[in-house]
């Protein structure tokens, strides 16, 4: 690799990292606000919050990396223009093709990395996220113990909570139905207080009632405290990712065969999207060079604003195309790939104009 190529690649590193970080933060704002509420109000540990955010990152990065590449390259080559480095490159005999060669190479590498994220990392991250959020929901009373709510998702029990009291959100007025496969009527437990701790439900000052097959009471009793462990339940959980956006292309193709026409359309849209968005990285990267390099002296603000306009225009066109394709107004391929086609044409036109000057 030439020294100038290494120099260009080295110069784009920090701006690209800045761009990816900026757009990732924008995408994460709503999630971060919700996580702050969980920390302050609901008592979720910071470690669990950080784990949740780490599982959200791969799906978001698959969308923000192309945007960050474009913004970072725009900032870098606008700097080259302001400092006359672009003019120096042209003066030593570098053509526009020579200048963009390392950019195109890095864009290809990044595109392959996004495909790797989609096929390998994102499905695992989504599965772990679903498992972790479900586990927190069972371990933390705030998520499951809700007033005037009948809860039927707790292993072998159905619960009804009358009210929650205190900062610890202890449940008062508990009604529990313990399910049994070989009995017509469940065991009924009426308790004064309950709370969840360390993957276990703890009941205090409660009474229980057993019934025969005809519904007649045959046994009653009471206990001061009863602990029901739920660890075994979590060890048997199998998380299945049903969201098509969280599945890899190969998985979508396999599952698509057994779907009806409407479901196939949804799968087809997602498959095309998972191909189109990563491939847009190459066009956005080249377009970033062509829009910012030259002999003009535009400031950072203008280039930054231009990059945001291009990025959000691409996102808007992509979303409109997906909506129209999902409703059957236009073919799936046209709806998903139109923004990429437009990007390609704009990039080609600007390249021809710039090549005449540089």
């Amino acid at each position: 690799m030439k020294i100038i190529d290494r120099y260009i690649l080295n110069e784009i590193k920090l701006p690209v990292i800045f761009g990816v970080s900026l757009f990732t933060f924008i995408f994460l704002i709503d999630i971060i606000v919700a996580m702050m509420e969980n920390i302050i109000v609901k008592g979720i540990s910071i470690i669990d919050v950080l784990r949740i955010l780490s599982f959200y990152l791969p799906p978001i990065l698959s969308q923000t990396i192309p945007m960050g590449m474009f913004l970072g390259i725009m900032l870098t080559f606008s700097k080259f223009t302001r400092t006359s480095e672009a003019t120096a490159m042209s003066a030593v005999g570098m053509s526009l093709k020579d200048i963009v060669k390392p950019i195109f190479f890095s864009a290809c590498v990044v595109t392959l990395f996004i495909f790797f994220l989609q096929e390998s990392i994102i499905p695992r991250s989504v599965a772990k996220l679903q498992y972790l959020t479900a586990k927190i929901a069972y371990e933390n009373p705030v998520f499951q113990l809700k007033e005037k709510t009948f809860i039927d998702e707790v292993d072998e029990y159905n619960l009804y909570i009358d009210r929650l009291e205190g900062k610890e959100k202890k449940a008062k007025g508990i009604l529990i139905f313990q399910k049994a496969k070989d009995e017509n009527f469940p065991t009924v437990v009426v308790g004064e207080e309950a709370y969840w701790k360390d993957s276990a439900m703890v009941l205090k000052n409660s009474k229980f009632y057993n019934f025969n097959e005809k519904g007649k009471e045959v046994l009653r009793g009471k206990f001061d405290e009863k602990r029901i462990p739920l660890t075994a339940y979590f060890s048997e959980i199998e998380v299945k990712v049903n969201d098509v956006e969280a599945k890899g292309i190969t998985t979508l193709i396999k599952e698509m065969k057994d779907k009806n026409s409407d479901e196939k359309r949804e799968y087809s849209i997602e498959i095309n999207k998972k191909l189109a968005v990563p491939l847009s990285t190459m066009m956005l990267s080249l377009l970033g060079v062509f829009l910012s390099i030259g002999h003009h002296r535009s400031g950072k603000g203008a280039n930054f604003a231009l990059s945001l306009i291009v990025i959000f225009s691409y996102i808007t066109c992509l979303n409109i195309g997906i909506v129209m394709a999902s409703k059957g107004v236009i073919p799936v391929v046209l709806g998903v790939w139109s923004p990429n086609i437009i990007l390609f044409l704009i990039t080609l036109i600007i390249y021809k104009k710039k090549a005449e000057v540089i």
Side-chain angles (χ1 to χ4, degrees):
M1 182 179 291
K2 297 179 180 179
I3 295 176
I4 187 64
D5 292 343
R6 290 199 297 268
Y7 173 74
I8 292 174
L9 291 176
N10 188 59
E11 286 295 304
I12 69 171
K13 283 181 183 177
L14 289 180
V16 167
I17 292 173
F18 165 76
V20 174
S21 301
L22 174 64
F23 289 112
T24 301
F25 177 75
I26 293 173
F27 276 62
L28 280 173
I29 286 177
D30 289 341
I31 300 172
I32 291 173
V33 171
M35 292 298 99
M36 291 301 295
E37 179 185 355
N38 290 334
I39 294 174
I40 297 172
V41 178
K42 299 182 178 181
I44 305 303
S45 70
I46 295 178
I47 294 177
D48 283 335
V49 169
L50 292 176
R51 290 177 66 193
I52 289 173
L53 288 176
S54 70
F55 295 143
Y56 271 114
L57 274 178
I60 292 175
L61 284 174
S62 67
Q63 301 177 59
T64 58
I65 287 176
M67 304 175 193
M69 283 283 292
F70 178 70
L71 176 58
I73 290 169
M74 281 280 292
L75 294 176
T76 301
F77 278 86
S78 64
K79 188 200 79 168
F80 286 168
T81 297
R82 291 194 309 273
T83 59
S84 298
E85 290 178 84
T87 304
M89 292 178 190
S90 180
V92 297
M94 290 185 68
S95 65
L96 189 56
K97 287 183 179 180
D98 296 328
I99 295 173
V100 301
K101 190 182 297 182
I103 299 300
F104 183 73
F105 172 77
S106 62
C108 291
V109 173
V110 170
T111 300
L112 293 175
F113 175 71
I114 297 174
F115 280 128
F116 172 72
L117 276 179
Q118 292 181 164
E119 290 300 304
S120 180
I121 305 299
I122 291 177
R124 297 177 186 177
S125 294
V126 173
K128 289 180 179 179
L129 175 63
Q130 291 181 354
Y131 178 87
L132 179 60
T133 52
K135 193 172 188 297
I136 291 174
Y138 280 98
E139 292 179 342
N140 193 297
V142 177
F143 282 96
Q144 286 293 329
L145 302 183
K146 298 179 182 179
E147 295 181 344
K148 314 297 183 183
T149 302
F150 185 77
I151 303 168
D152 61 354
E153 301 170 350
V154 186
D155 206 6
E156 300 177 355
Y157 300 88
N158 292 334
L159 299 90
Y160 177 81
I161 309 298
D162 183 58
R163 64 190 185 279
L164 297 172
E165 294 182 355
K167 294 182 180 180
E168 297 180 356
K169 299 292 184 180
K170 290 186 178 180
K172 303 288 185 178
I174 317 299
L175 178 62
I176 299 177
F177 299 96
Q178 184 174 0
K179 309 170 215 174
K181 294 181 180 179
D182 55 347
E183 296 180 4
N184 294 330
F185 295 91
T187 297
V188 178
V189 180
V190 180
E192 294 182 5
E193 181 179 293
Y195 60 93
W196 287 15
K197 182 179 180 181
D198 299 329
S199 300
M201 179 171 57
V202 181
L203 305 175
K204 300 185 70 175
N205 301 324
S206 302
K207 297 179 181 179
F208 68 88
Y209 305 88
N210 283 336
F211 304 89
N212 60 20
E213 58 183 10
K214 296 181 179 181
K216 183 177 179 180
E217 181 185 329
V218 294
L219 179 66
R220 69 167 60 188
K222 62 180 181 179
F223 44 81
D224 295 330
E225 183 172 298
K226 180 176 177 62
R227 181 183 179 87
I228 304 174
L230 300 173
T231 306
Y233 171 70
F234 286 111
S235 65
E236 296 174 359
I237 286 181
E238 289 186 18
V239 177
K240 293 183 178 180
V241 179
N242 296 318
D243 189 356
V244 294
E245 294 183 2
K247 297 178 181 179
I249 295 174
T250 53
T251 303
L252 291 172
I253 293 174
K254 291 178 182 178
E255 295 182 358
M256 185 179 176
K257 299 176 182 178
D258 302 325
K259 304 297 180 181
N260 57 43
S261 57
D262 291 334
E263 290 175 327
K264 283 184 177 180
R265 177 176 291 272
E266 181 185 6
Y267 275 65
S268 179
I269 290 172
E270 191 60 33
I271 291 170
N272 280 275
K273 179 183 173 183
K274 287 182 180 296
L275 291 171
V277 173
L279 290 174
S280 70
T281 305
M282 291 184 285
M283 285 171 287
L284 284 171
S285 298
L286 295 177
L287 184 61
V289 177
F290 302 150
L291 286 176
S292 55
I293 196 171
H295 299 287
H296 58 281
R297 299 279 179 176
S298 60
K300 291 182 180 179
N303 284 283
F304 187 81
L306 179 60
S307 64
L308 293 181
I309 291 172
V310 172
I311 289 168
F312 287 109
S313 297
Y314 175 82
I315 294 173
T316 301
C317 291
L318 179 62
N319 288 332
I320 292 174
I322 289 174
V323 171
M324 295 180 69
S326 63
K327 293 183 178 181
V329 178
I330 58 177
V332 171
V333 174
L334 179 62
V336 178
W337 287 92
S338 291
N340 285 41
I341 295 172
I342 295 172
L343 267 182
F344 174 78
L345 294 175
I346 293 174
T347 303
L348 184 61
I349 292 171
I350 297 178
Y351 166 71
K352 289 182 177 180
K353 289 184 178 181
K354 290 288 182 177
E356 295 174 358
V357 178
I358 299 177

